[in-house]
Amino acid sequence: ETGVTQSPTHLIKTRGQQVTLRCSSQSGHNTVSWYQQALGQGPQFIFQYYREEENGRGNFPPRFSGLQFPNYSSELNVNALELDDSALYLCASSFRGDGYTFGSGTRLTVV
Amino acid sequence: ELKVEQNPLFLSMQEGKNYTIYCNYSTTSDRLYWYRQDPGKSLESLFVLLSNGAVKQEGRLMASLDTKARLSTLHITAAVHDLSATYFCAVVWNRDDKIIFGKGTRLHILP
């Protein structure tokens, strides 16, 4: 049984650029959610996908968007990057919300 | 809007002592999670609490849930240095499946 894997592990982007982060769900999990964790803060819920449909969204602007694929892997896209987008981005998967397994995260730095 | 409050936010304690971390939340929820995070690392699932009166124990950690009081506790028994980490509670908001984290409790156990 594989866990949740995220790629890349680290990324540096310039303000205004666009970024795509990727997440492979744990085997058997059909729900994936994304979080932004700024340094010293708790994770902030970005959105959640269940069977390729978005079924929950936090207070993030539309330039944060996502996809879930038929194999339940997922992407987080952020357009027009801002300095404040620098954070650890965490992906978590579950089977219908019964406990979430987190990936090791992607640390994004916007300069 | 669901709010999740943890206290204390920072706790420094001696090995061998007992202590409790509290997690209050503001609206009805049927799922509460506790996670551990080591510096620079992802989140490790500790407990999933699904019903009123649920109590789960793993080693020196015990978590409980009172849905009527909207309160969960994480009790540490005879603390050891290895338990030093940041502990988060996270609550699912029933209305749209948002997962809201507390700010975390940074636990430092002195040898």
Side-chain angles (χ1 to χ4, degrees):
Chain A
E1 177 181 285
T2 59
V4 177
T5 57
Q6 291 186 244
S7 62
T9 55
H10 295 85
L11 199 54
I12 299 175
K13 287 286 192 178
T14 303
R15 191 171 48 181
Q17 285 188 311
Q18 177 265 344
V19 69
T20 297
L21 310 182
R22 295 181 174 82
C23 172
S24 294
S25 303
Q26 182 166 317
S27 177
H29 285 185
N30 55 16
T31 302
V32 66
S33 52
W34 286 91
Y35 302 83
Q36 179 195 68
Q37 187 177 23
L39 201 60
Q41 302 293 316
Q44 298 292 311
F45 178 70
I46 303 175
F47 43 55
Q48 176 168 281
Y49 282 82
Y50 171 66
R51 291 187 173 182
E52 303 176 59
E53 297 281 335
E54 184 182 294
N55 77 337
R57 189 176 181 94
N59 296 325
F60 281 81
R63 59 190 185 84
F64 286 78
S65 63
L67 283 172
Q68 187 181 30
F69 299 100
N71 65 355
Y72 303 132
S73 65
S74 177
E75 285 182 355
L76 164 65
N77 298 291
V78 187
N79 292 323
L81 284 166
E82 300 176 359
L83 297 178
D84 284 349
D85 296 333
S86 295
L88 178 68
Y89 287 85
L90 295 164
C91 163
S93 72
S94 76
F95 179 70
R96 297 175 62 180
D98 293 335
Y100 287 81
T101 302
F102 280 79
S104 54
T106 294
R107 185 159 298 280
L108 173 66
T109 302
V110 182
V111 297
Chain B
E1 183 80 17
L2 172 62
K3 295 191 189 306
V4 179
E5 292 187 356
Q6 283 183 241
N7 70 82
L9 297 181
F10 182 80
L11 178 58
S12 182
M13 55 193 288
Q14 296 282 341
E15 276 192 328
K17 300 289 188 184
N18 303 333
Y19 209 80
T20 300
I21 299 169
Y22 298 88
C23 175
N24 288 92
Y25 54 98
S26 60
T27 63
T28 302
S29 174
D30 58 8
R31 278 171 286 163
L32 186 142
Y33 308 102
W34 282 97
Y35 290 93
R36 168 182 173 148
Q37 188 176 40
D38 292 295
K41 303 291 187 182
S42 187
L43 295 163
E44 174 191 351
S45 178
L46 296 175
F47 301 108
V48 180
L49 301 170
L50 301 175
S51 60
N52 188 42
V55 177
K56 291 195 175 179
Q57 183 162 5
E58 181 74 35
R60 300 175 187 274
L61 300 178
M62 183 174 71
S64 66
L65 178 62
D66 181 342
T67 58
K68 293 179 182 176
R70 296 177 187 158
L71 171 68
S72 180
T73 61
L74 180 66
H75 187 74
I76 302 148
T77 302
V80 293
H81 180 66
D82 285 352
L83 290 178
S84 296
T86 300
Y87 293 85
F88 291 97
C89 68
V91 180
V92 177
W93 191 18
N94 289 349
R95 200 177 86 173
D96 60 4
D97 275 350
K98 282 185 188 180
I99 299 102
I100 308 298
F101 278 77
K103 291 182 187 287
T105 296
R106 191 171 160 196
L107 179 63
H108 182 53
I109 299 171
L110 304 168

